[in-house]
Structures are given as structure tokens and as C-alpha cells.
Amino acid sequence: MPYAKIAFALALLTPAGAFAATADPGEVQYRAILKELVETDSTGATGNCTTLVEKVAARMKGAGFPAENIQLLVPPDDTKAGNLVAILPGRQPDALLLLGHIDTVNAKRADWKRDPFTLIEENGVLYGRGVADMKSQAAAWIDTLLRFNKEGLKPKHTVKMALTCGEEGGGRVNGAKWLVDNHRDLIDAKLGLNEGGNGEMTQDGKRVVVSVLVAEKGGGNFILEATNPGGHSSRPRPDNALYSMGRAMDRLSKLEFPVTFNESSKGFFTRMAPIVGGETGAAMARLVANPKDADADRIVSQSPLWHGMLRTTCVPTMIEGGHAANALPQSVRLTINCRLLPGDTIDNANAMLLKAIADPELTLIKPEQGPSPVFPKITPQIMGPIEKASKDQLGGTPVVPFMTTAGTDGRTLNAAGIPTIGVSGMFREPDGNGVHGLNERYRVSVIMDGRRFLYQLVRSYAEGDL
């Protein structure tokens, strides 16, 4: 019976909401990997990365990948923060590293429309925690290594894959940093490929650019404290600590750091202006020419992503306070998460925050200044294979280097001397696809295009000149 007929028959038997069958036999393995990744809880609150990497190791061995080339590495002081390193030996010892974190941000089932730990396909869209950040790409790394091994590929360069825990925090040991500090030889490479290079697409599914992450913001968490003697709630007082914090939060909502370009962001907006076109593209060009152009800033900053690329940002993310429902609060603490542009400092952010808060009765505690970020040098040697893969697999969508407003484990590897960029060929919609939020999703077509893109890209680097 031809495969297409078998696939059609299986589709008829697939229950509603399940991961639908595919007519492409090459995608079956990938879909099974992705399903296992998403349906194994790896959050910091309720999950276990070690359980997940054990499943991945078993799957890879079952598919014929040599057991001696797979290592499970678990920090002794965090037994749920397991990592996996798999190695496909090349003809030369220098290596290409495929880096991917397999932990995810927490997800409360009660808040989601669907079970976050069940991979559900509806109307050509896959839902599940980690689908977009970054289990679809991690599944592509696993799938690619298994395909190379099955094909008997002996690449010019050794290909290494590190699946790590702790990138999202949640109390877990950061696997990338732990591997650098304790098993550097296993992950050492001339080039690392990581997450963060998510392409941009319009809401109706039109690809805009293939993004290549070449720089990251820094930053840290400030703590703002309001203290008060408190007292019985039946005797209200005007200096209520919650009132003080509420007024400070209102003033913080109006804080805007100035537009500041660096080499990465200036190059990004310069390239994006003609691609975007129209009023927004013209505003990008004007803003590059004059960072103080308020009207251009207003237009470009309608995109939360672009707004964050243009400036340092500080935003309240958590609040805690009070000790009883019938008592005036004695203390309130506000966490303010700041994302600093390269070159900006904690001291400058501290000064800007104090000016905005404008209340000497409140106490602002600043984090320590971290080391200056290190970024890889972007060469035609690096960009060429990406541009070729985009031409072959993504319809020639323009390739544009950019600076992420978030942070990745690439920062750790770059600081350790392993040049690392972020690229996936998987496109996110303007709202960010629910990453770190509710009902995280990816279009099936986006994932499968990205899978083909990444296979070609990894093979090009592995067989080319690093």
C-alpha cells in the first residue's frame, strides 16, 4: 500500500486535537521528537530536565546513534538540571556546536486554553509550552544529527550538540555555564549556533526577514522598597506603603530611555527601512539619521520588539507586600527588570530610575554590573551559508543581523571564547507567539520550513570553512 494512502488512512484515525499525521516520511521522526520534548515538563517549578535528556538519549540510541558519542551530564547539586552532549565526529577535530536549552518558563494549566504540556495541532498551528522557545529548534538539532548519522555522513568538521537546562532560570543550574566551567572540551567549537534568531513575519504569514542574532542586551533586576510602621486597617493613614509604591509605579510607566544606536542596531534599521517600506520604513531611515526625531521614534516604537532594540528598558515585573488582610502593609517590594543596551551601565539605569521614582522615602537597590558583553565578528563566511539556505528553503527572504532585546546562553559562550550566533529560520508573528506567556504556538508550516533550513545550514557549515 503506497505511503500516501497509509498516511491518509492514519489521518482519518487521528483523534481531534492530536498531532496530525504527515504525508512526508522525512517529517515523522521530527514530529515524534518535538512531541516528546513538549510533553515532558521541563519547567523550573514542576519539571525535570534530567528526565527529558534521558528520553532524548534513549531515542537517539534507538535510532542508531552511537551510545559512546552521547553523554548525560548532571550537576551534582541539582539532579533535575541534566544536560546532554552528542558528538558526530568529523574528519577534522575543530567543531560546530548546536546549542539549545530544553527547559521552559513555567505554565499554569488553569490559565491556558489547552494543556500546555500536550502538543496540540489546530488549524495548522501547534500549541504547547516550549514550542516556540525553543523546543522546535532543539528538535531540529536532534533530527539533523540523527539524519547525518543515518546517511553515514563524515563531515569535514565535528558536529556537537549540547541540550542544556537552566537558561530560563527557575532555580535550575545554568547548563551552558556549567558545561563551560566543567566540561569545556566537550562543547568547545569554532562556531556555535543557538536560538534567538527568529525571523519576523506579518500577521497574515508573510515572511519579512530572517533574523540573525549577533548581539544581546545586558541588565539585571533592581528592587524598589517601601517601608512603613503599618498598623490596624481600621485606622488608615495617608502614607500607606502600597500608595507610595503605586505612585512610584505610575511614574515608572512614563520612563523612557533615549534612542541609542550601536553598530548592530544601526545596521539592522538601515537594512530594514527599504524592506519594510511605507511610513514605517521611512521613519526607520529618519531615526537612523536623527535619533532625536520623536515622531519617527513614535512610529517605529509601535513595535514592542523594535522599541526595545532602540533603547535600554526598565519595567516592573513582580510585586510583593503586606502581611495580613486586616493590617496596613509594613513593606512592599517591587522588582524592576532592566535590559541595558551594550555600553549602558547599571549606574546610569539607577540614576534614571531614581529620577523617575522621585520619592526619597523609597529605597532602590541596584544589581551588580556584569562583565561587558562579547559579540562574534560577523563575516561573509558566517553569513553566506545563511543567505544560501534562505534562498533555497525560505524563498530568498532577506537576511538581517540584529540585536535581541532578551538574553540567551550565547552570551555565556561568547564570553568563554566560543563565537556564537542565533539563527533558526523559524518566523514569529508580531505578538511574539505567546513566548513566556499564554497559549504559546508556532505554525506547522513555519516549523517545517525551519527544519529544512536548519538541516541545510548545519550541513553547509559542517562541510565548509569555519
Side-chain angles (χ1 to χ4, degrees):
M1 188 176 187
Y3 181 85
K5 291 184 178 179
I6 295 175
F8 178 73
L10 288 173
L12 293 177
L13 295 173
T14 302
F19 203 5
T22 173
D24 180 356
E27 294 179 1
V28 173
Q29 172 178 262
Y30 174 83
R31 286 173 172 258
I33 295 168
L34 180 57
K35 180 178 175 65
E36 185 168 71
L37 293 184
V38 172
E39 297 190 354
T40 303
D41 182 358
S42 54
T43 65
T46 58
N48 191 321
C49 289
T50 302
T51 298
L52 182 49
V53 292
E54 288 173 346
K55 291 181 179 180
V56 172
R59 176 178 292 277
M60 293 184 72
K61 293 172 187 177
F65 201 89
E68 63 271 19
N69 291 345
I70 301 173
Q71 292 200 45
L72 296 179
L73 302 141
V74 183
D77 54 346
D78 191 350
T79 57
K80 293 183 178 181
N83 310 280
L84 179 148
V85 175
I87 298 176
L88 183 73
R91 304 189 301 275
Q92 296 181 5
D94 53 3
L96 171 71
L97 175 66
L98 312 179
L99 178 68
H101 71 84
I102 46 88
D103 64 312
T104 67
V105 167
N106 297 332
K108 289 178 62 177
R109 174 66 184 93
D111 296 339
W112 283 54
K113 293 181 180 178
R114 308 160 189 83
D115 182 352
F117 302 112
T118 299
L119 189 62
I120 296 173
E121 180 175 351
E122 293 180 6
N123 302 317
V125 177
L126 289 175
Y127 294 85
R129 175 54 90 215
V131 167
D133 184 18
M134 60 167 288
K135 288 184 173 180
S136 291
Q137 187 168 357
W141 292 154
I142 300 165
D143 176 63
T144 294
L145 272 192
L146 292 179
R147 291 171 69 185
F148 284 172
N149 183 68
K150 184 177 181 180
E151 293 161 2
L153 179 66
K154 300 295 181 184
K156 177 179 178 180
H157 306 287
T158 293
V159 181
K160 300 178 178 181
M161 177 182 71
L163 303 180
T164 63
C165 195
E167 194 271 350
E168 300 290 8
R172 293 276 174 256
V173 169
N174 180 273
K177 180 68 165 59
W178 186 76
L179 289 174
V180 164
D181 293 342
N182 296 277
H183 300 280
R184 171 63 183 262
D185 59 315
L186 290 178
I187 62 168
D188 210 4
K190 292 190 70 175
L191 177 65
L193 303 182
N194 187 30
E195 65 165 336
N198 304 103
E200 294 187 37
M201 71 187 310
T202 61
Q203 195 63 49
D204 61 359
K206 180 182 178 183
R207 302 186 190 104
V208 180
V209 292
V210 176
S211 303
V212 182
L213 188 161
V214 299
E216 299 186 15
K217 281 185 164 183
N221 293 320
F222 288 76
I223 302 297
L224 185 64
E225 291 185 327
T227 57
N228 192 282
H232 201 287
S233 62
S234 66
R235 300 181 179 183
R237 47 193 298 166
D239 61 347
N240 187 308
L242 279 169
Y243 292 159
S244 298
M245 189 62 74
R247 288 189 289 268
M249 291 173 65
D250 181 60
R251 290 190 287 269
L252 281 173
S253 72
K254 301 175 179 64
L255 172 62
E256 191 80 304
F257 285 73
V259 172
T260 306
F261 285 108
N262 53 43
E263 182 180 358
S264 171
S265 60
K266 188 171 185 177
F268 174 84
F269 286 104
T270 298
R271 294 189 187 195
M272 285 294 289
I275 294 171
V276 173
E279 180 187 40
T280 303
M284 286 180 174
R286 284 163 40 209
L287 198 57
V288 169
N290 178 16
K292 295 182 179 181
D293 187 327
D295 184 61
D297 180 17
R298 176 187 60 79
I299 295 171
V300 177
S301 289
Q302 290 178 24
S303 161
L305 172 63
W306 296 341
H307 173 267
M309 292 176 65
L310 289 168
R311 52 177 48 82
T312 289
T313 59
C314 290
V315 60
T317 54
M318 294 194 301
I319 189 169
E320 55 182 322
H323 59 284
N326 58 355
L328 300 176
Q330 295 169 189
S331 67
V332 180
R333 288 169 56 92
L334 181 73
T335 299
I336 305 171
N337 181 258
C338 289
R339 304 283 178 151
L340 275 59
L341 288 174
D344 204 350
T345 65
I346 290 293
D347 285 343
N348 180 58
N350 188 71
M352 293 284 286
L353 287 169
L354 286 173
K355 183 178 179 181
I357 293 163
D359 187 342
E361 298 300 317
L362 302 184
T363 301
L364 183 65
I365 303 170
K366 65 180 181 179
E368 293 185 4
Q369 178 76 50
S372 298
V374 179
F375 306 123
K377 184 177 181 181
I378 302 305
T379 65
Q381 199 170 321
I382 288 177
M383 295 300 292
I386 301 174
E387 292 166 346
K388 179 67 164 60
S390 177
K391 179 181 178 181
D392 293 345
Q393 305 297 339
L394 302 175
T397 304
V399 177
V400 180
F402 87 117
M403 176 191 67
T404 180
T405 57
T408 76
D409 281 331
R411 172 182 293 272
T412 297
L413 267 65
N414 279 309
I418 303 174
T420 301
I421 63 172
V423 59
S424 71
M426 297 183 185
F427 294 77
R428 290 184 186 171
E429 296 161 35
D431 68 354
N433 290 65
V435 169
H436 286 204
L438 296 177
N439 307 307
E440 186 175 346
R441 70 191 190 280
Y442 246 158
R443 301 185 188 207
V444 174
S445 59
V446 162
I447 294 174
M448 295 309 172
D449 287 345
R451 169 183 174 262
R452 289 186 287 271
F453 169 89
L454 289 172
Y455 175 86
Q456 176 175 329
L457 182 63
V458 173
R459 186 154 189 157
S460 294
Y461 284 132
E463 297 280 50
D465 295 322
L466 293 178

